[in-house]
Amino acid sequence: GNSVTQMEGPVTLSEEAFLTINCTYTATGYPSLFWYVQYPGEGLQLLLKATKADDKGSNKGFEATYRKETTSFHLEKGSVQVSDSAVYFCALNFGNEKLTFGTGTRLTIIP
Amino acid sequence: DAGVTQSPTHLIKTRGQQVTLRCSPKSGHDTVSWYQQALGQGPQFIFQYYEEEERQRGNFPDRFSGHQFPNYSSELNVNALLLGDSALYLCASRDRGTDTQYFGPGTRLTVL
């Protein structure tokens, strides 16, 4: 079946550091890929998405590129802020089917 | 434009009881999915409703059931609650144009 493997957390960085959160997937075919973010006590917010190979999703300074050859969708940000502290989830789906999530990576940014 | 809304925000029940959670999708969205998120875990798919019918189902027992109304809102019912049902229950509605699911804030269920 489909699955998503995320970099284990927690991740702690200083403000303005470079961020990478790794995500790889296993799927039959070419799914759409997503990053969702969950702030403390809240639901999930869509951060970015990509629907085909070599697509780059971007939002709020975050980027991720759909790499078919390595089945990866790593999340990056050049300079993190304290307000980026949250849990980040990588996910995949096919069309209107269910989302399959990774276990999440907790990110803490220290001033 | 209101996003996905869920009620109640928090709920405390005891083992063996039954619970109903409610969800209203974003305007223009007609497909609703429910997910269970245990503490420290990623969300797990429960089921999806479209045109008032259950279209897909995850690996959850029959104690979990749902309903979708003509206005596309949905309910999740859980019978015979177990301690392990304690979780954040998330509802998502689908934007048909972009095939993207948007989540509500969730209902935190605690079973004592």
Side-chain angles (χ1 to χ4, degrees):
Chain A
N2 303 327
S3 66
V4 175
T5 301
Q6 270 186 251
M7 174 176 172
E8 296 248 350
V11 174
T12 302
L13 295 172
S14 297
E15 205 165 20
E16 298 183 3
F18 184 86
L19 168 71
T20 300
I21 300 178
N22 291 337
C23 170
T24 58
Y25 67 89
T26 301
T28 304
Y30 303 110
S32 294
L33 301 174
F34 304 83
W35 278 100
Y36 282 86
V37 59
Q38 187 171 38
Y39 297 100
E42 298 185 10
L44 299 177
Q45 295 180 24
L46 177 66
L47 183 58
L48 52 82
K49 63 178 281 191
T51 58
K52 60 183 187 297
D54 300 325
D55 264 2
K56 178 184 282 189
S58 61
N59 186 25
K60 299 181 182 179
F62 291 90
E63 293 183 338
T65 301
Y66 191 140
R67 301 287 189 199
K68 183 179 69 174
E69 62 277 7
T70 54
T71 62
S72 65
F73 193 54
H74 304 322
L75 182 68
E76 297 182 335
K77 186 175 185 183
S79 176
V80 292
Q81 305 300 313
V82 171
S83 58
D84 294 326
S85 298
V87 181
Y88 291 81
F89 292 94
C90 185
L92 67 81
N93 80 348
F94 291 91
N96 62 356
E97 296 185 357
K98 66 174 183 177
L99 282 162
T100 299
F101 286 88
T103 54
T105 302
R106 180 174 299 278
L107 173 67
T108 302
I109 306 302
I110 300 172
Chain B
D1 176 28
V4 179
T5 60
Q6 293 185 242
S7 64
T9 304
H10 296 88
L11 207 49
I12 299 175
K13 293 286 189 179
T14 56
R15 279 178 297 175
Q17 286 189 310
Q18 178 265 343
V19 69
T20 297
L21 310 181
R22 295 176 176 83
C23 170
S24 292
K26 282 189 71 165
S27 177
H29 293 188
D30 56 9
T31 302
V32 172
S33 299
W34 287 91
Y35 293 81
Q36 181 196 65
Q37 186 181 16
L39 199 61
Q41 301 296 315
Q44 298 293 315
F45 175 74
I46 303 174
F47 43 53
Q48 183 185 82
Y49 277 83
Y50 172 68
E51 292 188 340
E52 303 180 49
E53 291 193 0
E54 183 183 290
R55 188 162 64 172
Q56 300 176 54
R57 188 177 184 93
N59 189 26
F60 279 80
D62 292 345
R63 298 187 297 110
F64 289 77
S65 63
H67 188 77
Q68 185 178 35
F69 299 93
N71 67 353
Y72 308 123
S73 66
S74 177
E75 289 182 348
L76 163 65
N77 301 292
V78 187
N79 294 322
L81 284 167
L82 303 174
L83 295 180
D85 294 332
S86 295
L88 181 68
Y89 288 85
L90 295 164
C91 171
S93 67
R94 172 179 163 250
D95 181 325
R96 191 188 295 191
T98 61
D99 263 341
T100 299
Q101 294 187 35
Y102 293 88
F103 285 80
T107 293
R108 173 75 60 189
L109 172 65
T110 302
V111 181
L112 302 177

